[in-house]
Amino acid sequence: MVKKFDTRLVQTGRAGTKAHGYVNPKLVRGSTVLYPDVATKLALGTRRLEQIELYGLYGTETHFALERAITEIEGGSHCQIVGSGLAACIMPLLAYLKAGEHLLVPDSVYGPTRTFCDTTLVRFGVTTTYYDPMANEAEITALLQPNSRVLFTESPGSHTFEVQDIPMLARVAHARGIKVFMDNTWGIYHFQPFAHGVDVSIQALTKYVGGHSDLIMGSVTVNSESDWAWLRKGMLELGQYASPDDCWLALRGLRTLGLRLRAQYAAGLEIANWLAARDEVARVLHPALPSCPGHEFFKRDFTGGGGLFGVVFQPQYSAAAVVAMIDALQLFGIGASWGGYESLVLPTGGTIARSAGTGVYEGEVARFHIGLEDVGDLIADIEQALAALRAG
Ligand SMILES: Cc1ncc(COP(=O)(O)O)c(C=O)c1O
């Protein structure tokens, strides 16, 4: 029987409906693992690529349950849980790249990933070229170098939501033996990375998988034994770990992921369309709206999304007016880490670091994250706050 996604979300990472025992995987905390004799320890010690309890750092039953679940959501073969979404972005870069090599990174990448490329990777002799996330085949090909090893993607882009043509980028990269990494946090299961040519898929589980703004965690998933060997070896050498308590919480969050995302995507779209019709708004940067760069790739490659999008205000409204509007909102928290059940807003103008000439807008920009509150209440709140924008 081919199971639908919601059914798989309920079943994944568990012992199964017919197994004797509690519904949820055990929360196992541990550092040392005991072996019955030396021969067993020596024999098992060589099996670090497998999900076997060998030592706390290599994972417990709780980690493995979450890793199996994320592997299934992403449609991959193996997954490694790490301590944060940022660690999930940077650890595979350390695992794959060496001095003298080059990588390409979209100009719209999550800011701290850019900082890592510009600082630590520079110290280790790896160079980065930032590219327009909307670059076409000829433009991206022109940026490749003989020593290019990784093409990093993030789709949609942080803050500005450009949707990338991942299959085209993968075709160009693979023709030259270059690996394609993707920060797939926004799309989660609505974008199947490996079916579109990605080699290494990254999730900040902190966001929609956790879903309750109470944990920090990331995952890196691959879809081949050879990529797994690279990744796992690198991760073990780098001492990557996440708390089993947080893994357990992430598994709990995951059970309602489908429901939450459906509700937040629908409410987000309703609010995005409402904002797009307002005189104060120049355009809305929501992948599902034609006003968003790469909307055609969203329609082709995604099956849905979440509740995070950007708004560009008309040029006559100053940064101070946007701040006054945000301060006037009653139901939206002012905060960065999206994906929780609660609505958030941030002014993004002035905080967007760019070096390839992208991210230039006609007016001030803000980012909205739509939670599980009543959508009518949220719209009423934005409507009253827009008075502060007009007055500002
Ligand atoms: C797209 C994206 N990737 C990665 C991260 C990093 O996640 P974490 O906060 O778990 O380090 C974030 C956090 O905002 C993000 O928005």
Side-chain angles (χ1 to χ4, degrees):
M1 171 184 164
V2 181
K3 287 179 248 164
K4 295 280 189 329
F5 189 77
D6 280 345
T7 310
R8 294 198 283 133
L9 256 190
V10 166
Q11 294 194 334
T12 186
R14 289 172 44 204
T17 39
K18 300 295 182 204
H20 173 229
Y22 291 107
V23 167
N24 290 304
K26 290 193 193 93
L27 170 49
V28 180
R29 296 194 193 90
S31 53
T32 205
V33 171
L34 300 179
Y35 299 83
D37 50 47
V38 174
T40 309
K41 169 133 180 48
L42 291 178
L44 287 174
T46 59
R47 296 175 61 182
R48 288 181 188 168
L49 286 179
E50 301 166 37
Q51 291 189 320
I52 299 176
E53 290 182 329
L54 299 171
Y55 180 62
L57 189 60
Y58 308 148
T60 68
E61 223 179 286
T62 318
H63 294 89
F64 303 151
L66 180 60
E67 286 170 349
R68 281 197 300 279
I70 300 299
T71 302
E72 172 143 10
I73 288 176
E74 293 252 58
S77 61
H78 301 84
C79 168
Q80 168 85 41
I81 299 296
V82 295
S84 70
L86 178 58
C89 294
I90 67 177
M91 288 301 163
L93 294 174
L94 284 175
Y96 276 76
L97 287 161
K98 63 174 187 298
E101 290 184 330
H102 170 252
L103 86 146
L104 284 111
V105 172
D107 215 18
S108 49
V109 75
Y110 174 58
T113 305
R114 172 187 286 268
T115 304
F116 177 77
C117 296
D118 292 346
T119 54
T120 309
L121 285 188
V122 169
R123 275 199 287 120
F124 292 154
V126 174
T127 51
T128 303
T129 299
Y130 293 98
Y131 66 92
D132 181 342
M134 294 290 93
N136 64 26
E137 187 160 348
E139 289 161 340
I140 204 79
T141 304
L143 295 175
L144 295 175
Q145 300 179 9
N147 58 343
S148 299
R149 166 92 165 115
V150 170
L151 174 64
F152 198 95
T153 65
E154 182 184 322
S155 180
S158 272
H159 295 305
T160 48
F161 301 94
E162 299 89 341
V163 184
Q164 298 194 259
D165 186 353
I166 301 291
M168 177 276 285
L169 293 168
R171 199 173 60 247
V172 171
H174 290 160
R176 291 157 185 82
I178 297 168
K179 291 285 176 189
V180 178
F181 290 15
M182 177 175 182
D183 184 334
N184 189 29
T185 305
W186 191 93
I188 317 186
Y189 63 86
H190 284 300
F191 182 87
Q192 287 291 291
F194 304 109
H196 292 89
V198 171
D199 300 300
V200 177
S201 183
I202 291 154
Q203 291 280 350
L205 304 181
T206 309
K207 316 298 178 204
Y208 282 118
V209 171
H212 296 74
S213 303
D214 54 7
L215 64 87
I216 293 272
M217 194 184 290
S219 66
V220 189
T221 306
V222 294
N223 195 30
S224 73
E225 290 300 328
S226 63
D227 278 320
W228 179 234
W230 267 98
L231 181 75
R232 180 75 170 151
K233 181 175 172 302
M235 294 294 189
L236 292 179
E237 286 172 5
L238 292 162
Q240 280 306 297
Y241 186 66
S243 151
D245 299 68
D246 285 348
C247 292
W248 192 91
L249 270 182
L251 275 163
R252 172 189 272 215
L254 188 95
R255 304 299 173 202
T256 54
L257 177 66
L259 267 178
R260 285 185 284 108
L261 266 190
R262 268 198 295 282
Q264 289 176 269
Y265 181 57
L269 256 182
E270 189 172 336
I271 294 173
N273 278 309
W274 183 86
L275 279 163
R278 293 289 306 195
D279 288 343
E280 299 89 341
V281 171
R283 69 188 151 121
V284 175
L285 302 171
H286 188 303
L289 299 190
S291 49
C292 188
H295 168 66
E296 65 276 25
F297 306 131
F298 175 80
K299 274 198 301 190
R300 185 189 66 191
D301 299 338
F302 285 67
T303 55
L308 186 77
F309 60 90
V311 175
V312 184
F313 292 97
Q314 295 288 4
Q316 69 263 33
Y317 299 114
S318 65
V322 172
V323 167
M325 184 212 79
I326 288 175
D327 282 341
L329 285 165
Q330 300 299 307
L331 299 179
F332 288 77
I334 300 167
S337 192
W338 49 279
Y341 59 86
E342 79 291 5
S343 289
L344 295 173
V345 65
L346 267 189
T348 40
T351 66
I352 307 173
R354 297 295 162 107
S355 53
T358 70
V360 179
Y361 297 99
E362 53 273 59
E364 291 298 324
V365 189
R367 189 186 75 176
F368 284 80
H369 172 258
I370 305 305
L372 294 169
E373 302 89 344
D374 179 84
V375 67
D377 287 349
L378 293 176
I379 289 175
D381 192 27
I382 300 173
E383 187 160 27
Q384 65 79 24
L386 284 173
L389 179 84
R390 291 191 299 274

